Amino acid sequence: MASVPRSFLLLSIIPTILILCADFACCNTGRKTGDGLDTDFSGFSVPLEHSFEVDDVSRFRMRGALQLRGGRETSVSLSQSQLSEEDRKTLKEVAAVDGLYKIRVPRVSLTDRQTERQMDGYLTAFVRACSLVESHLSDVITLHTDVSGYLIGVSIVTIPGACRGTEVEDEVDLEAFNTTLTIIAPTNAPQPETALFIERMDIEHEKRGKPQEQKSFFAKYWMYIVPLVLFLMMSGAQDQSGGGAANGGGR
Amino acid sequence: MAKLTSLFVILLSFFCISEAVFEDQVGKFDWRQQYVGKTLFAHFESNTQSSKKMFVATDKNIFASFNSRTGDLLWRHVDKTGPEGSIDILLLHGQDGRLLRSWDTNIGGLNWEAVLDTGSFQAACFVAIQDTVKLVAVLKKAAISLHYLSNGHQKWVENLPDSDAVQYQAVYSGGEEEVYVLGVVPNSHLTIIAYSLEDGEIIKQVTTLALSSNLHCCVVVGQGVLMCVDPATLALYTLPIQAEETPEFSQILLQVLYLSPTATTVSFSEPVLDVEIINTFLCCCCFLQAFLVSFATTGKKTVAAVMTPKNETVSCPRACAINLFSVDSGRRLLDTTVLFPLEPNGGKPHTLYVHAFLKKDDSVGYRVLVQTQDHALTFIQQPGRVVWTREEALADVVTMEMVDLPLTGTQAELEGEFGKKADGLFPMVLKRLSSQVTLLQAWLAHLWKLFYEARKPRSQVKNEVTIETLSRDEFNLQKMMVMVTASGKLFGIDSKSGSILWKHYLENVQPNAAFKLIVQRTTAHFPHPPQCTLLIKDKDTGLATLHVFNPIFGRKSHIALPALPRPILQSLLLPVIDQDYAKVLLLVDDQYKVTAFPSTKNVLQQLQEMASSIFFYLIRSDQGNLSGFRLRKDLSTERIWEVVLPTEVQKIVAVKGKRPNEHVHSQGRVMGDRSVLYKYLNPNLLAVVTESTDTHPERAFVGVFLVDGVTGRIIHEAVQRKARGPVHFVHSENWVVYEYWNTKSRRNEFSVLELFEGTELYNSTVFSSLDRPHLPQVLQQTYIFPSPITTMEATLTEKGITSRHLLVGLPSGAILSLPKMFLDPRRPEVVTEHSREENLIPYAPEMPIRTEWFINYNQTVARVKGIYTAPSGLESTCLVVAYGLDIYQTRVYPSKQFDVLKDDYDYVLISSVLFALFFATMISKRLAQVKLLNRAWR
């Protein structure tokens, strides 16, 4: 499947892109040498291709190279060339007929590259060509990976994203891409927070429990009980003074 | 603060208690129907005329008893699904695969249960000693065992000799001291082994030449005579089993025998027939081109019931006649003909079960139970009266829709008046007046009917629902339920009473076909009839066929259907309507070519205009591939995005979009500080759930991807670690709720994802997937759920004002209505002033299950497979249908009935108070006037 687009590419090559094609080959070799050295720290590059045609038939050409760096901290950077005058013209024409601007990257794995599994196919995304033109080529490309580091999707949006039909007069605005590139790995969904809940319950219990424990019945009413007891003792001592004395002696 | 919280919880519980059903409301708004499935074995209790019980075992692993007079279910045992619980054979005492069970026929209680040795089951029979059944013989692949009937204890078990080579297939007991086991070595010889009943000793073992490879078309008849039918040679072979010396097959050639495939599966319920009789009998019934034959014995008489097509061709008869033949003479018994009418849209008869009995005058009477191909059971009494019919196809509902009922004639006329073009002032006035008069007439007729019925006692007033009287009620609470069953039979059921109003059997539907039911035109477009389309896809070939019908009457529409020569990958219903108000259905085939239905010129023109804004997605779960396409003007397609989830890591389990008829009333949530948190309401959002291929409990995970179906942008990607399926999930509004099994803590957990745009909306007027550059904020929370679940659905109301509930089907058959309020990722860990202002419940890791939340109180739905929700005309009310083995219909009020007065509303008190106040004001006004006048005179 991969061979089909490449031959297609070769067929449709115009001389200027030949250099880019060589670049593409260079990328491949770069990947292999990178393998041999160190997987964690040496990055590798994959081609970022784009296609915009008036007749909406995809003809992907080189746009730039993505420098991917796997490992614990995945990072990505993009080196891309400027749009040629012919490309600018085509892009404006595509925008005029509300065509699509498509990009694609090959499917690669960021981590597990020793196996060098032949993953054929590309990940494709698109944006309306008019919004790309109107935003003066400022786009946001996001690469998505799955848990094991495979690239699973790519997305492109422009900021602003709307097509208002404003004319872009200045050709200079369409020369260089102003790309923001991010790579997003899946987030871990939360587990039920039992520990925190139990802790909170304990604190609540303590709050509720402590004052009751501290203020026992005696502690609360000692001011009434002590005089009462004293009074009873006094009155009892008065009644049986003899016995009281004997008791006192015994004590 | 704690006190406040507890107060709040108490308040909340009060709020929830009122959701339960009151005792006098039981059965008022809800109904349940119980089914058993396709009958495999059926037996009648005894051979007397007065017996009422019959027993069936079905392919759904159910053993049940019916009242044969009414067809009502007396009791039912639902066994495990799958091969574990399958019933291999039903003698009058039921038995299961590895377990041998005996049941009490009166109440269905289990008498005993015995565990059998492993090995595939072959046959079983009762063993009688001097005409009393005391033992059960069970033949397995390599062993035979004998059990006592009274307690299930094993008497003895013996290994069968040479069981690798010999296929033992039948067991027979003639009432003496031996039990015979018949085995066959394919294309070689037949082995007959006689075991002693006492100790399982082999008394003798004989072999003889075999004729065919298996014994399936053989029966043991009479006093130990094996009889086989060989379709190849058109001959009947007999063999005396109990013969002393080596027995030989004797061949009887049947010259006139017309052996249809059914004739080889003739069922012999009682093995007491004589060989010659069978011979003559088979000949005579084959002359008649019999459909089905069934034997029954009563007293000393053995009869055979023969079903023949009545004076029509065999292929499509309109009715069948059932005749009783005496087996002794082969002659037809007089006055025994029963006519079995075949429904025009029903299936052909499949199996016949006869219940014969001796009448008082010693003649033979009988009743028959006919099972048709569409799994319907019909019980017929002798004069030809259908006593009852059970539609057992409804035990396996695949998909369903609810369709609004049409307006009555007068209402429709009124509606039609506005639709027509104006033709002058005067005719319009006339038309208006005439329609008013008809309305008045209808109202008067209604009043008269009310008055007339009020005089009758309540029990006599029956609201018979027929197709003719169907009309929409005031609040659109009564709808037509269109149900599609796995057998290919369609049903139209009135949602109020549960009565079946129409049924239509689709022949030639493959057993593993996939169905998709689409409502193309609702009842709102009078005079165009509503239109439903059923897409039937063969899972093996992928080829699809369409069945277009009117959902109210069930009649097939005569519309030209598009030719679909290629496998269909995807179907999508567009909001585009043709000139007849039918929505356009697009079918995408495996070459990504699109077929439109209906494909009139008008539709094609509209499609061409809109082509650049029609996007669709395809999912190939076997390749982990999600891809998006855009329609071109020539109805070809163009691939515009592609997302690939490597199948080595995870596989796509399910994908769900949002329901197209869902409305969201509020765009955001007002927070405690009076700012608004706007919801991310993307109608094109897809929730994709994956499961890891690695099933190790530490490494297994469940992935949840939120993908925009137009741009292919991954909006959110979350991984639930240490989790595995089965995953059930609901995707609605701006949230996804999913349930999974936590492999580490070994419990079921619920997780909720909510998407918000933030405190400012990007574009508040319209949502476009192409122009929404910022990713939404995603909030997520997880809870423990104390029960496994089988299915899940969210309530749906007309305008989406009512708060949402989740309807959760539990394995116990209960349906839990869980307020969405409990599944809110904004539930705070610590209660603050703001969260209290917002009415957020403080976070608790465990989700409660309150018994008041069970919407079906004690009406459990066995093996609930799906829940369907539909909005009604009342905003507060949502109609719910739960289907599985049973069907249960009810209404739920997630925010209570805020727009309806209660049943026990005190009209008298309110109106008397109103009148009293009115008169009091009048009098006091008068008095005040008088007083003022007097003062002025002074």
Side-chain angles (χ1 to χ4, degrees):
Chain A
M1 193 184 158
S3 65
V4 176
R6 199 175 296 175
S7 61
F8 194 60
L9 192 94
L10 283 168
L11 281 174
S12 65
I13 273 167
I14 36 172
T16 47
I17 296 169
L18 260 176
I19 306 149
L20 292 172
C21 219
D23 211 40
F24 178 51
C26 159
C27 294
N28 273 346
T29 52
R31 265 168 72 185
K32 269 178 192 149
T33 50
D35 263 348
L37 293 168
D38 194 348
T39 45
D40 267 15
F41 297 99
S42 79
F44 60 103
S45 73
V46 290
L48 171 70
E49 294 165 290
H50 61 179
S51 154
F52 42 95
E53 300 294 333
V54 181
D55 56 355
D56 267 347
V57 178
S58 303
R59 286 182 203 92
F60 282 98
R61 285 157 290 175
M62 202 66 182
R63 171 172 157 178
L66 288 166
Q67 289 290 331
L68 294 167
R69 197 179 285 270
R72 199 161 287 278
E73 286 287 311
T74 51
S75 68
V76 63
S77 61
L78 175 68
S79 59
Q80 52 192 352
S81 45
Q82 294 190 339
L83 276 183
S84 67
E85 192 157 331
E86 201 171 338
D87 283 346
R88 287 200 297 266
K89 216 178 110 196
T90 328
L91 187 61
K92 283 185 96 172
E93 278 170 13
V94 174
V97 295
D98 195 15
L100 302 182
Y101 173 84
K102 294 182 216 166
I103 57 163
R104 73 173 187 191
V105 288
R107 290 176 57 200
V108 287
S109 168
L110 295 186
T111 52
D112 177 37
R113 298 201 307 115
Q114 267 94 352
T115 52
E116 196 65 36
R117 212 176 279 125
Q118 190 60 48
M119 286 200 295
D120 45 356
Y122 289 88
L123 306 168
T124 326
F126 75 98
V127 72
R128 285 165 83 187
C130 57
S131 68
L132 190 71
V133 170
E134 283 177 35
S135 65
H136 306 295
L137 300 189
S138 48
D139 53 354
V140 179
I141 295 177
T142 314
L143 298 169
H144 295 269
T145 65
D146 71 352
V147 272
S148 50
Y150 287 105
L151 274 191
I152 57 163
V154 60
S155 73
I156 176 168
V157 288
T158 59
I159 294 177
C163 279
R164 292 199 174 76
T166 47
E167 275 289 305
V168 180
E169 295 294 330
D170 204 352
E171 285 281 315
V172 185
D173 281 343
L174 293 182
E175 247 172 27
F177 284 100
N178 171 22
T179 307
T180 317
L181 193 66
T182 45
I183 188 156
I184 296 181
T187 53
N188 277 331
Q191 301 281 330
E193 301 214 23
T194 38
L196 212 79
F197 181 75
I198 291 167
E199 209 173 280
R200 211 182 71 210
M201 290 294 278
D202 282 345
I203 291 169
E204 224 159 82
H205 266 289
E206 269 173 38
K207 261 189 203 165
R208 213 177 289 164
K210 261 182 190 168
Q212 279 178 354
E213 269 171 41
Q214 281 172 344
K215 289 193 174 179
S216 64
F217 180 77
F218 193 75
K220 244 178 179 174
Y221 302 107
W222 64 272
M223 65 275 268
Y224 307 107
I225 294 165
V226 169
L228 195 81
V229 171
L230 279 176
F231 175 74
L232 282 174
M233 280 171 73
M234 298 283 273
S235 60
Q238 267 182 358
D239 277 355
Q240 16 174 286
S241 53
N247 273 348
R251 214 185 293 160
Chain B
M1 195 164 83
K3 200 184 272 176
L4 259 173
T5 320
S6 59
L7 194 79
F8 183 71
V9 169
I10 289 166
L11 267 175
L12 196 85
S13 58
F14 273 124
F15 174 73
C16 294
I17 281 169
S18 56
E19 279 173 28
V21 173
F22 291 104
E23 198 182 345
D24 60 336
Q25 284 179 324
V26 165
K28 197 171 175 187
F29 306 119
D30 61 321
W31 50 261
R32 176 179 68 164
Q33 287 168 357
Q34 290 187 307
Y35 295 96
V36 294
K38 183 190 172 187
T39 305
L40 296 182
F41 309 101
H43 279 278
F44 294 91
E45 188 189 35
S46 64
N47 294 323
T48 56
Q49 196 171 3
S50 58
S51 73
K52 276 183 184 167
K53 269 187 238 102
M54 54 175 292
F55 309 96
V56 293
T58 70
D59 64 339
K60 300 255 181 266
N61 301 348
I62 283 159
F63 177 44
S65 170
F66 292 136
N67 181 338
S68 64
R69 296 287 158 84
T70 59
D72 293 338
L73 206 61
L74 292 174
W75 47 261
R76 181 177 75 169
H77 284 283
V78 181
D79 214 326
K80 286 178 198 161
T81 52
E84 247 182 298
S86 72
I87 298 168
D88 286 319
I89 194 164
L90 179 84
L91 305 177
L92 199 49
H93 299 254
Q95 311 191 5
D96 274 8
R98 263 201 74 197
L99 299 166
L100 187 70
R101 287 179 184 153
S102 166
W103 311 86
D104 186 293
T105 55
N106 283 323
I107 54 167
L110 186 68
N111 287 338
W112 50 260
E113 179 181 277
V115 182
L116 299 178
D117 296 334
T118 49
S120 70
F121 176 86
Q122 295 293 345
C125 80
F126 284 127
V127 178
I129 306 170
Q130 276 106 41
D131 285 344
T132 48
V133 177
K134 281 187 180 154
L135 297 162
V136 185
V138 179
L139 182 70
K140 292 278 197 165
K141 191 151 178 52
I144 178 170
S145 58
L146 223 64
H147 296 262
Y148 288 103
L149 190 59
S150 53
N151 54 13
H153 290 310
Q154 199 172 62
K155 189 170 182 187
W156 50 259
V157 60
E158 285 295 323
N159 280 330
L160 294 168
D162 207 10
S163 61
D164 295 332
V166 186
Q167 297 172 5
Y168 292 97
Q169 286 172 340
V171 62
Y172 165 73
S173 160
E176 285 95 30
E177 292 294 307
E178 293 115 21
V179 55
Y180 296 90
V181 174
L182 307 179
V184 65
V185 178
N187 304 323
S188 169
H189 62 270
L190 188 79
T191 308
I192 301 168
I193 307 167
Y195 284 94
S196 159
L197 274 186
E198 280 307 309
D199 48 5
E201 221 177 297
I202 296 179
I203 295 172
K204 65 178 180 192
Q205 185 171 1
V206 287
T207 54
T208 180
L209 278 177
L211 23 103
S212 62
S213 57
N214 61 26
L215 296 169
H216 284 312
C217 49
C218 292
V219 279
V220 183
V221 294
Q223 291 297 310
V225 178
L226 180 75
M227 192 177 82
C228 296
V229 180
D230 189 7
T233 54
L234 285 183
L236 202 67
Y237 295 91
T238 56
L239 177 83
I241 292 172
Q242 287 153 317
E244 288 300 317
E245 62 277 3
T246 308
E248 290 274 325
F249 271 111
S250 52
Q251 190 188 38
I252 307 164
L253 275 172
L254 308 166
Q255 277 89 12
V256 283
L257 188 60
Y258 163 80
L259 268 178
S260 66
T262 49
T264 54
T265 58
V266 166
S267 75
F268 295 86
S269 66
E270 304 292 330
V272 288
L273 304 173
D274 264 332
V275 181
E276 293 79 35
I277 296 163
I278 292 291
N279 186 11
T280 51
F281 178 71
L282 271 180
C283 292
C284 85
C285 78
C286 291
F287 272 125
L288 291 165
Q289 293 191 323
F291 255 14
L292 299 165
V293 185
S294 181
F295 292 87
T297 311
T298 175
K300 289 265 181 277
K301 288 183 183 169
T302 301
V303 290
V306 178
M307 181 181 260
T308 48
K310 189 162 167 65
N311 59 34
E312 302 276 337
T313 53
V314 185
S315 53
C316 55
R318 292 233 182 87
C320 280
I322 301 164
N323 287 298
L324 212 58
F325 289 82
S326 162
V327 172
D328 299 329
S329 57
R331 244 179 258 122
R332 195 162 73 88
L333 298 178
L334 288 175
D335 300 328
T336 56
T337 307
V338 164
L339 214 61
F340 174 61
L342 284 179
E343 284 173 39
N345 295 321
K348 287 197 195 111
H350 184 260
T351 326
L352 198 67
Y353 301 98
V354 182
H355 178 212
F357 49 84
L358 282 179
K359 288 182 187 166
K360 278 182 187 132
D361 57 350
D362 219 29
S363 63
V364 181
Y366 73 114
R367 304 185 186 109
V368 278
L369 183 72
V370 184
Q371 185 183 17
T372 45
Q373 282 169 333
D374 53 358
H375 301 181
L377 282 178
T378 313
F379 195 65
I380 307 168
Q381 225 162 20
Q382 212 172 356
R385 190 170 64 90
V386 174
V387 185
W388 48 262
T389 307
R390 285 183 69 90
E391 292 292 350
E392 291 300 340
L394 283 171
D396 201 355
V397 175
V398 181
T399 177
M400 66 167 292
E401 283 287 340
M402 271 186 162
V403 183
D404 291 351
L405 291 176
L407 300 163
T408 54
T410 46
Q411 283 171 321
E413 207 166 288
L414 258 186
E415 292 281 321
E417 191 185 320
F418 296 112
K420 278 172 204 153
K421 280 178 200 150
D423 41 11
L425 188 68
F426 189 65
M428 284 286 277
V429 171
L430 268 186
K431 206 180 274 172
R432 164 38 51 109
L433 281 177
S434 68
S435 54
Q436 298 278 15
V437 168
T438 47
L439 270 185
L440 191 72
Q441 266 178 351
W443 186 65
L444 285 176
H446 176 70
L447 276 188
W448 171 246
K449 202 179 153 205
L450 272 185
F451 174 72
Y452 191 73
E453 274 174 6
R455 295 190 308 175
K456 280 198 232 168
R458 184 158 274 220
S459 57
Q460 280 182 16
V461 181
K462 251 200 220 161
N463 283 329
E464 274 293 307
V465 189
T466 56
I467 281 188
E468 286 73 35
T469 59
L470 272 186
S471 69
R472 200 179 300 178
D473 60 337
E474 235 175 323
F475 298 124
N476 202 4
L477 289 165
Q478 188 180 8
K479 294 199 180 197
M480 177 67 84
M481 292 159 51
V482 181
M483 294 193 132
V484 182
T485 62
S487 65
K489 196 169 190 183
L490 312 181
F491 290 90
I493 300 175
D494 171 37
S495 77
K496 198 174 187 181
S497 61
S499 51
I500 297 170
L501 296 179
W502 59 262
K503 44 201 166 189
H504 188 100
Y505 179 61
L506 300 173
E507 281 175 61
N508 311 323
V509 169
Q510 298 299 315
N512 62 345
F515 298 92
K516 187 174 178 185
L517 185 62
I518 302 141
V519 183
Q520 277 198 296
R521 181 166 54 217
T522 60
T523 21
H525 305 286
F526 187 81
H528 298 288
Q531 181 181 327
C532 272
T533 301
L534 182 69
L535 184 70
I536 308 154
K537 186 175 156 183
D538 192 321
K539 268 193 185 144
D540 296 330
T541 61
L543 290 175
T545 49
L546 292 176
H547 173 73
V548 184
F549 62 99
N550 180 335
I552 303 300
F553 304 108
R555 280 196 290 266
K556 192 176 175 185
S557 306
H558 299 286
I559 294 177
L561 294 175
L564 302 168
R566 302 212 58 87
I568 296 297
L569 297 179
Q570 171 80 293
S571 67
L572 60 159
L573 192 68
L574 297 182
V576 181
I577 50 172
D578 71 346
Q579 70 270 35
D580 291 338
Y581 304 100
K583 283 184 184 163
V584 176
L585 181 70
L586 288 189
L587 301 164
V588 185
D589 65 18
D590 64 343
Q591 291 180 330
Y592 308 114
K593 283 267 177 6
V594 170
T595 313
F597 171 74
S599 57
T600 55
K601 202 178 268 180
N602 178 348
V603 169
L604 293 178
Q605 195 185 341
Q606 282 191 61
L607 279 181
Q608 271 187 8
E609 282 164 15
M610 295 183 58
S612 64
S613 61
I614 295 173
F615 297 86
F616 62 91
Y617 63 92
L618 287 179
I619 287 161
R620 297 227 152 158
S621 55
D622 54 331
Q623 297 160 9
N625 187 312
L626 291 87
S627 44
F629 293 82
R630 182 162 83 154
L631 200 65
R632 287 208 187 120
K633 289 204 192 308
D634 57 346
L635 293 189
S636 64
T637 56
E638 155 188 32
R639 190 189 292 251
I640 49 172
W641 60 263
E642 201 167 1
V643 168
V644 186
L645 303 171
T647 45
E648 305 92 82
V649 182
Q650 52 195 337
K651 55 181 191 296
I652 299 172
V653 183
V655 179
K656 267 188 195 168
K658 287 177 188 172
R659 292 179 63 167
N661 57 346
E662 179 183 274
H663 296 275
V664 181
H665 184 255
S666 63
Q667 290 288 309
R669 290 185 59 168
V670 181
M671 299 205 290
D673 57 358
R674 296 278 174 267
S675 63
V676 178
L677 192 61
Y678 286 100
K679 294 174 185 171
Y680 179 76
L681 298 169
N682 183 349
N684 309 317
L685 198 65
L686 303 174
V688 181
V689 171
T690 63
E691 270 184 55
S692 62
T693 42
D694 192 349
T695 51
H696 187 273
E698 283 295 316
R699 295 188 295 270
F701 66 87
V702 166
V704 178
F705 297 83
L706 301 178
V707 182
D708 189 302
V710 170
T711 63
R713 194 179 182 197
I714 298 175
I715 302 290
H716 184 67
E717 185 185 351
V719 169
Q720 195 81 48
R721 303 263 176 193
K722 290 170 190 144
R724 65 171 167 80
V727 182
H728 302 273
F729 68 110
V730 175
H731 180 201
S732 175
E733 275 188 56
N734 63 331
W735 47 265
V736 177
V737 172
Y738 60 93
E739 187 262 5
Y740 59 91
W741 171 257
N742 187 329
T743 50
K744 192 190 174 201
S745 313
R746 298 207 189 103
R747 63 193 177 199
N748 289 89
E749 288 177 4
F750 254 117
S751 194
V752 57
L753 275 162
E754 278 197 26
L755 307 174
F756 292 101
E757 290 223 358
T759 46
E760 270 175 49
L761 269 181
Y762 178 78
N763 179 355
S764 55
T765 47
V766 66
F767 187 95
S768 166
S769 285
L770 297 170
D771 176 20
R772 197 74 27 164
H774 304 292
L775 283 176
Q777 300 170 9
V778 181
L779 302 175
Q780 187 168 15
Q781 230 171 37
T782 308
Y783 315 89
I784 302 163
F785 193 68
S787 164
I789 74 168
T790 50
T791 184
M792 190 153 67
E793 188 56 81
T795 60
L796 194 66
T797 53
E798 179 93 357
K799 294 270 182 281
I801 299 168
T802 310
S803 62
R804 308 292 294 270
H805 276 205
L806 283 177
L807 300 171
V808 182
L810 305 181
S812 63
I815 294 160
L816 184 77
S817 177
L818 189 67
K820 173 70 180 53
M821 206 174 18
F822 280 89
L823 288 158
D824 184 350
R826 302 191 60 249
R827 283 174 70 176
E829 298 275 347
V830 181
V831 186
T832 60
E833 200 67 41
H834 283 320
S835 69
R836 208 172 302 135
E837 182 89 17
E838 265 188 81
N839 273 346
L840 292 176
I841 310 161
Y843 179 78
E846 196 174 16
M847 191 71 60
I849 291 185
R850 303 225 172 91
T851 41
E852 313 93 72
W853 288 352
F854 291 140
I855 57 170
N856 54 345
Y857 45 105
N858 62 358
Q859 307 280 302
T860 50
V861 186
R863 290 195 199 145
V864 53
K865 203 165 66 178
I867 297 173
Y868 180 87
T869 53
S872 71
L874 285 174
E875 173 54 33
S876 65
T877 310
C878 169
L879 303 175
V880 177
V881 181
Y883 54 87
L885 196 57
D886 305 339
I887 297 173
Y888 179 74
Q889 192 276 143
T890 190
R891 300 171 190 173
V892 289
Y893 319 100
S895 300
K896 294 194 280 181
Q897 284 183 286
F898 58 81
D899 49 4
V900 182
L901 290 180
K902 271 185 197 152
D903 284 343
D904 52 356
Y905 186 77
D906 204 340
Y907 293 96
V908 180
L909 184 75
I910 291 286
S911 45
S912 57
V913 165
L914 264 179
F915 276 114
L917 280 173
F918 178 71
F919 284 117
T921 31
M922 294 289 281
I923 291 161
S924 57
K925 197 177 168 190
R926 176 80 195 141
L927 288 177
Q929 274 178 351
V930 170
K931 200 175 178 186
L932 272 176
L933 192 68
N934 287 342
R935 195 184 291 162
W937 273 108
R938 213 176 280 158

